[in-house]
Amino acid sequence: MLNMSSRDLVDDRSTAARIRDAAITCFAADGVAATSVRTIAAEAGVSAGLVIHHFGSKDDLRVACDQHVARLIREVKASALTAGPAYDPLAELRTFTGGPPLTRYLARTLVDGSPHVAELVDEMVNDAVEYMEAGVASGMLKPSDYPRERAALLAMWRLGALVLHEHLERLIGVDIASDFSDDPAMMRAYFGPALELMSGIITDTTRDRVLGALLGDPEATKETA
C-alpha cells in the first residue's frame, strides 16, 4: 500500500505540473479572463474536473502559475549571479525556451487587473534583492547604497518592457516576449544598449563577458585578472 501511494503521488504531481504548464500557455495566449477551465483541460489533455481537483479554481490555478514563474526566475537569476566568471548568458536565456511561454505569460498577467499582480511583483522584487546581493558578492554587480530600491527599479524596467513589448518590437525590431537567443542581430539590438544602460549596475568584467558571449567573441568571455 505504501508503494502504491508513493507512485500515485508522483503521478499526481506530474499531472498537476502538466495542467499548470497548459494554463501558462493558455493564459499567455488569451489572458486569464478569456481562458476557461475547459480550455486549459483540453490543452493539458485532462478533464475539467481534474483541473479543479488539483487546483480548486481557475483563480487558484493562476496563483500557482504566478508562483511557478516567479520561482523559476528566482532560481535562474540566483544561479547566474553566483556563477561569477563561469556565468554563461546564453545558457541563462535558453533556460526559458522549450517549455511554456513564461515571458508572454508575464506580459499578459501584468496588465490583466488581477489583485494577484501586486503579490507577484512584490515577490519578484524581493527575490531580486536577494539574488542581486549574491551578484555583488560574486563580483558580477557593483555594490549599491540603495539595494532594495535598485532591485525595484530594475524589476520595473524589465517588467515594463514586457508590458510594452509590442512597442519595443516596433521601435528596435526585437520582441522580448519571444525567444530570440538564436538570432545574433536581435541579440545585438537588445543587449548592446541594455548593457550600456546597466553600466552603473554591472561590473566592466561582467559587461565584457556578456557581450562577448552574446556577440560571438570567445576572447571576451575569458576570465580577466
Side-chain angles (χ1 to χ4, degrees):
M1 288 296 293
L2 287 175
N3 288 338
M4 182 178 292
S5 297
S6 298
R7 183 168 60 250
D8 289 346
L9 181 60
V10 171
D11 289 342
D12 281 347
R13 283 202 295 257
S14 177
T15 300
R18 193 163 69 249
I19 293 169
R20 180 202 62 217
D21 289 350
I24 291 173
T25 298
C26 293
F27 292 156
D30 300 313
V32 175
T35 300
S36 68
V37 170
R38 290 186 180 277
T39 299
I40 296 167
E43 177 71 21
V46 301
S47 68
L50 196 57
V51 174
I52 299 303
H53 168 74
H54 280 286
F55 294 97
S57 68
K58 187 176 78 169
D59 189 58
D60 289 339
L61 174 55
R62 184 263 175 84
V63 172
C65 292
D66 284 354
Q67 292 173 342
H68 176 65
V69 171
R71 182 173 65 252
L72 282 178
I73 293 172
R74 177 176 64 248
E75 291 173 353
V76 170
K77 292 294 184 182
S79 176
L81 289 173
T82 56
Y87 172 58
D88 183 351
L90 290 177
E92 179 188 345
L93 285 171
R94 288 168 180 155
T95 299
F96 296 108
T97 65
L102 303 186
T103 50
R104 287 198 178 276
Y105 172 83
L106 277 175
R108 278 279 190 176
T109 200
L110 286 168
V111 296
D112 74 355
S114 166
H116 299 303
V117 169
E119 297 172 14
L120 173 61
V121 170
D122 287 352
E123 182 175 359
M124 294 179 72
V125 170
N126 290 336
D127 291 342
V129 173
E130 293 186 10
Y131 59 66
M132 290 181 76
E133 287 177 353
V136 171
S138 71
M140 293 185 68
L141 303 182
K142 298 176 182 178
S144 172
D145 292 331
Y146 313 97
R148 180 169 179 79
E149 290 82 357
R150 180 171 75 167
L153 287 170
L154 187 59
M156 294 308 99
W157 170 33
R158 290 174 172 171
L159 296 177
L162 269 180
V163 171
L164 297 171
H165 68 94
E166 293 179 351
H167 292 286
L168 192 60
E169 181 180 15
R170 178 175 58 81
L171 292 167
I172 69 172
V174 180
D175 180 7
I176 63 169
S178 65
D179 173 30
F180 57 94
S181 60
D182 289 323
D183 189 322
M186 288 189 181
M187 297 284 278
R188 186 177 297 107
Y190 180 74
F191 284 102
L195 288 169
E196 282 188 6
L197 290 171
M198 292 178 66
S199 61
I201 299 174
I202 61 176
T203 62
D204 292 345
T205 299
T206 302
R207 180 202 61 214
D208 293 344
R209 286 181 54 80
V210 173
L211 274 176
L214 296 176
L215 304 182
D217 180 3
E219 290 300 314
T221 64
K222 294 180 180 179
E223 182 177 1
T224 57

Coordinates of all heavy atoms in Angstrom, one line a residue, residues 72 76-77 80 87-103 178-187 191 212-216:
L72 N 10.9 30.1 -10.9 CA 11.9 29.8 -12.0 C 12.8 30.9 -12.2 O 14.0 30.8 -12.4 CB 11.1 29.4 -13.3 CG 10.5 28.0 -13.4 CD1 9.8 27.9 -14.8 CD2 11.6 27.0 -13.3
V76 N 16.9 30.8 -11.6 CA 17.8 31.0 -12.7 C 18.7 32.2 -12.4 O 19.9 32.2 -12.7 CB 17.1 31.2 -14.1 CG1 18.0 31.7 -15.2 CG2 16.4 29.9 -14.5
K77 N 18.1 33.3 -12.0 CA 18.9 34.5 -11.7 C 19.9 34.3 -10.5 O 21.0 34.7 -10.6 CB 17.9 35.7 -11.3 CG 17.1 36.2 -12.5 CD 18.0 36.8 -13.6 CE 17.1 37.4 -14.7 NZ 17.9 37.9 -15.8
A80 N 22.7 32.3 -11.9 CA 23.6 33.1 -12.7 C 24.5 34.1 -12.0 O 25.7 34.2 -12.2 CB 22.7 33.9 -13.7
Y87 N 29.8 32.3 -15.5 CA 28.5 32.7 -16.0 C 28.4 32.6 -17.5 O 29.2 33.0 -18.2 CB 28.2 34.2 -15.6 CG 26.9 34.7 -16.2 CD1 25.7 34.1 -15.9 CD2 27.0 35.9 -16.9 CE1 24.5 34.7 -16.5 CE2 25.8 36.4 -17.5 CZ 24.6 35.8 -17.2 OH 23.5 36.3 -17.8
D88 N 27.3 31.9 -17.9 CA 27.0 31.7 -19.4 C 25.7 32.4 -19.7 O 24.6 31.8 -19.4 CB 27.0 30.2 -19.7 CG 26.8 30.0 -21.2 OD1 26.5 30.9 -21.9 OD2 26.9 28.8 -21.6
P89 N 25.7 33.6 -20.2 CA 24.4 34.3 -20.5 C 23.5 33.6 -21.5 O 22.3 33.6 -21.4 CB 24.8 35.7 -21.0 CG 26.2 35.4 -21.6 CD 26.8 34.4 -20.7
L90 N 24.1 32.9 -22.5 CA 23.3 32.1 -23.4 C 22.6 31.0 -22.8 O 21.4 30.7 -23.1 CB 24.1 31.6 -24.6 CG 24.7 32.7 -25.5 CD1 25.6 32.1 -26.6 CD2 23.5 33.5 -26.2
A91 N 23.2 30.3 -21.9 CA 22.6 29.2 -21.1 C 21.4 29.7 -20.3 O 20.4 29.1 -20.2 CB 23.6 28.5 -20.2
E92 N 21.6 30.9 -19.7 CA 20.5 31.5 -18.9 C 19.3 31.8 -19.8 O 18.2 31.5 -19.5 CB 21.0 32.8 -18.2 CG 19.9 33.4 -17.4 CD 20.2 34.8 -16.9 OE1 21.4 35.2 -16.9 OE2 19.3 35.6 -16.5
L93 N 19.6 32.4 -21.0 CA 18.5 32.8 -21.9 C 17.7 31.5 -22.3 O 16.5 31.5 -22.4 CB 19.0 33.5 -23.1 CG 19.4 35.0 -22.9 CD1 20.1 35.5 -24.1 CD2 18.2 35.8 -22.6
R94 N 18.5 30.5 -22.6 CA 17.8 29.3 -23.2 C 17.2 28.4 -22.1 O 16.5 27.5 -22.4 CB 18.9 28.5 -24.0 CG 19.2 29.2 -25.3 CD 20.4 28.6 -26.0 NE 20.7 29.4 -27.2 CZ 21.9 29.5 -27.8 NH1 22.9 28.9 -27.2 NH2 22.0 30.2 -28.9
T95 N 17.4 28.7 -20.8 CA 16.7 28.0 -19.8 C 15.2 28.2 -19.9 O 14.4 27.3 -19.6 CB 17.1 28.6 -18.4 OG1 18.5 28.4 -18.2 CG2 16.4 27.9 -17.3
F96 N 14.7 29.3 -20.5 CA 13.3 29.6 -20.6 C 12.7 29.2 -21.9 O 11.6 29.6 -22.2 CB 13.1 31.1 -20.3 CG 13.5 31.5 -18.9 CD1 14.6 32.3 -18.7 CD2 12.7 31.1 -17.8 CE1 15.0 32.7 -17.4 CE2 13.1 31.5 -16.5 CZ 14.2 32.3 -16.4
T97 N 13.5 28.5 -22.7 CA 12.9 28.1 -24.0 C 12.6 26.6 -24.0 O 13.1 25.9 -23.2 CB 13.9 28.3 -25.2 OG1 15.1 27.5 -24.9 CG2 14.4 29.8 -25.2
G98 N 11.7 26.2 -24.9 CA 11.3 24.8 -25.0 C 10.2 24.4 -24.0 O 9.7 23.3 -24.1
G99 N 9.7 25.3 -23.2 CA 8.6 25.0 -22.3 C 7.5 26.0 -22.5 O 7.4 26.6 -23.6
P100 N 6.6 26.2 -21.5 CA 5.6 27.1 -21.6 C 6.1 28.5 -21.8 O 7.2 28.8 -21.3 CB 4.8 27.0 -20.3 CG 5.7 26.4 -19.4 CD 6.6 25.5 -20.2
P101 N 5.4 29.4 -22.5 CA 5.9 30.8 -22.8 C 5.9 31.7 -21.5 O 4.9 32.5 -21.3 CB 4.9 31.2 -23.9 CG 3.6 30.5 -23.6 CD 4.0 29.2 -23.0
L102 N 6.9 31.6 -20.7 CA 6.9 32.4 -19.5 C 6.9 33.9 -19.7 O 6.2 34.6 -18.9 CB 8.1 32.0 -18.7 CG 8.3 30.5 -18.4 CD1 9.5 30.3 -17.4 CD2 7.0 29.9 -17.8
T103 N 7.6 34.4 -20.6 CA 7.7 35.8 -20.8 C 6.4 36.4 -21.3 O 5.9 37.4 -20.9 CB 8.8 36.2 -21.8 OG1 8.7 35.4 -23.0 CG2 10.2 36.0 -21.1
S178 N 9.4 36.9 -26.9 CA 9.6 35.6 -27.6 C 11.1 35.2 -27.5 O 11.9 36.0 -26.9 CB 9.2 35.8 -29.1 OG 10.1 36.7 -29.7
D179 N 11.4 34.0 -27.9 CA 12.8 33.6 -27.8 C 13.6 34.1 -29.0 O 13.2 33.8 -30.2 CB 12.8 32.0 -27.8 CG 14.2 31.5 -27.9 OD1 15.2 32.2 -27.5 OD2 14.4 30.4 -28.5
F180 N 14.6 34.9 -28.8 CA 15.4 35.4 -29.9 C 16.9 35.1 -29.6 O 17.8 35.7 -30.2 CB 15.2 36.9 -30.1 CG 15.5 37.8 -28.9 CD1 16.8 38.4 -28.7 CD2 14.5 38.0 -27.9 CE1 17.0 39.1 -27.6 CE2 14.8 38.8 -26.8 CZ 16.0 39.4 -26.7
S181 N 17.1 34.1 -28.8 CA 18.5 33.8 -28.4 C 19.3 33.2 -29.6 O 20.6 33.1 -29.5 CB 18.5 32.8 -27.2 OG 17.9 31.6 -27.6
D182 N 18.7 32.7 -30.6 CA 19.4 32.2 -31.8 C 19.5 33.2 -32.9 O 20.0 32.9 -34.0 CB 18.7 30.9 -32.3 CG 18.9 29.8 -31.3 OD1 20.0 29.7 -30.7 OD2 18.0 29.0 -31.2
D183 N 19.1 34.5 -32.7 CA 19.2 35.5 -33.7 C 20.3 36.5 -33.3 O 20.0 37.4 -32.5 CB 17.8 36.1 -33.9 CG 17.8 37.1 -35.1 OD1 18.8 37.8 -35.3 OD2 16.7 37.1 -35.7
P184 N 21.5 36.5 -33.8 CA 22.5 37.4 -33.4 C 22.2 38.9 -33.6 O 22.5 39.7 -32.8 CB 23.7 37.0 -34.3 CG 23.4 35.6 -34.7 CD 21.9 35.5 -34.8
A185 N 21.4 39.2 -34.7 CA 21.1 40.6 -34.9 C 20.2 41.1 -33.8 O 20.3 42.3 -33.3 CB 20.4 40.8 -36.3
M186 N 19.2 40.3 -33.4 CA 18.3 40.7 -32.4 C 19.0 40.8 -31.0 O 18.7 41.7 -30.2 CB 17.1 39.8 -32.3 CG 16.1 39.9 -33.4 SD 14.6 39.0 -33.1 CE 13.7 39.3 -34.6
M187 N 19.9 39.9 -30.8 CA 20.7 39.9 -29.5 C 21.5 41.2 -29.4 O 21.5 41.8 -28.4 CB 21.6 38.7 -29.5 CG 20.9 37.3 -29.5 SD 20.2 36.9 -27.9 CE 21.6 36.3 -27.1
F191 N 20.7 43.7 -26.4 CA 21.6 43.6 -25.3 C 22.7 44.6 -25.4 O 23.3 45.0 -24.4 CB 22.2 42.2 -25.2 CG 21.3 41.2 -24.6 CD1 20.6 40.3 -25.3 CD2 21.0 41.2 -23.2 CE1 19.7 39.4 -24.8 CE2 20.2 40.4 -22.6 CZ 19.5 39.4 -23.4
G212 N 30.7 39.5 -25.1 CA 31.5 38.5 -25.8 C 30.7 37.3 -26.1 O 30.7 36.7 -27.2
A213 N 30.0 36.8 -25.1 CA 29.2 35.6 -25.3 C 28.0 35.8 -26.3 O 27.8 35.0 -27.1 CB 28.7 35.1 -24.0
L214 N 27.4 36.9 -26.1 CA 26.2 37.2 -26.9 C 26.5 37.5 -28.4 O 25.8 37.2 -29.3 CB 25.4 38.3 -26.3 CG 24.8 38.1 -25.0 CD1 24.1 39.3 -24.4 CD2 23.8 36.9 -25.0
L215 N 27.7 38.1 -28.6 CA 28.0 38.6 -29.9 C 29.1 37.7 -30.6 O 29.6 38.0 -31.6 CB 28.5 40.0 -29.9 CG 27.6 41.0 -29.3 CD1 28.1 42.4 -29.3 CD2 26.2 40.9 -29.9
G216 N 29.4 36.5 -29.9 CA 30.3 35.6 -30.5 C 31.8 35.9 -30.5 O 32.5 35.5 -31.4

